[in-house]
Amino acid sequence: MANEAVDQATDRTYFGLTLSQHADRIRKLATERGLTGETFDRVTAKAVEMIPTIKLSDGQR
């Protein structure tokens, strides 16, 4: 667990989480929504890919 904390500390964060942490949360949500197979893989991969592109401020277009 200590090594995991070190690895995550060097990863870039988005909205307070690393991409790996976002991926885990997205997979959990997709599973809860009943996504499976190719749809699960496609949707979760696209969602993780989009995280770095999200802008919360209208001034950052």
Side-chain angles (χ1 to χ4, degrees), residues 1-11 18 20-21:
M1 182 178 239
N3 286 340
E4 183 178 315
V6 171
D7 291 341
Q8 289 180 356
T10 60
D11 289 344
T18 65
S20 176
Q21 291 168 321

Side-chain angles (χ1 to χ4, degrees), residues 9-56:
T10 60
D11 289 344
R12 184 167 179 184
T13 61
Y14 302 89
F15 314 106
L17 298 174
T18 65
L19 280 179
S20 176
Q21 291 168 321
H22 279 293
D24 290 342
R25 293 180 76 187
I26 289 166
R27 282 191 217 78
K28 182 177 184 263
L29 288 170
T31 300
E32 289 173 2
R33 299 288 188 258
L35 296 180
T36 59
E38 188 273 331
T39 302
F40 175 89
D41 294 339
R42 183 176 44 82
V43 168
T44 56
K46 185 64 175 178
V48 172
E49 178 185 314
M50 291 174 62
I51 295 289
T53 67
I54 297 170
K55 305 286 188 234
L56 295 180

